[in-house]
Amino acid sequence: PVIGLSLSSTDDAKDFMTRVPPKNDPSVKYSLRAYRRLYCSGLLRAALPAIIPQFLYLICLGELMWEFDSPFVKDFCLHSLDGDEVELLKPPISSIIRCEALRDYSGPAIESAGTITLAALAMCTCVSSASYLFRTESIRSEPPWKRNHLWLGTLVLSFILIAVYMALVLEESSMAALSWYFYLLFFVAPFGCLYFCEI
């Protein structure tokens, strides 16, 4: 909500109304191709920030299940792996997240994975909000931090609130249990969302 309120305080472009067709003008008609492009653009803008956190959730769940409840994983999820192999190395995440016994499981791994997913969704939304400031201009040609200082302040405030939320809610050693590629995806994915919003 804070980011949304700051978006509304953006100064409008001086020539914006010259690019908008007059209201109820019968000569202006959108083609099927224009509608298709509009729907594809809207779907792409909305889908990526929703899909990426779900993918990160699966990574978190697999790694945190092994960290917090490895006896449960060994007993119910690793039927096809040899017991000695499980002791020596961490099993593949895919064998953990496909486990049928997780349907009834409730514990710190699921709670921490959900918290991290919510933080990833918030990060993607905050970063991609830069493309919503000036819908007809690229952020390269019209940087949002130059014309809307309130947005920049609320963006920083949102990042601080996300970090505080994670620090207060996550189980101890949750972030240490995650692998390097999770961190790479967690911090690069919001900028990937912004890139696709700018296309």
Side-chain angles (χ1 to χ4, degrees), residues 139-160:
I139 61 171
R140 284 185 229 114
S141 64
E142 192 70 50
W145 50 88
K146 287 188 176 179
R147 282 187 44 197
N148 191 340
H149 301 291
L150 181 62
W151 171 81
L152 185 60
T154 56
L155 182 69
V156 172
L157 175 67
S158 296
F159 288 152
I160 292 169

Side-chain angles (χ1 to χ4, degrees), residues 173-187:
S173 76
S174 290
M175 297 306 282
L178 299 171
S179 56
W180 65 270
Y181 57 87
F182 167 80
Y183 289 105
L184 179 69
L185 287 171
F186 186 80
F187 289 110

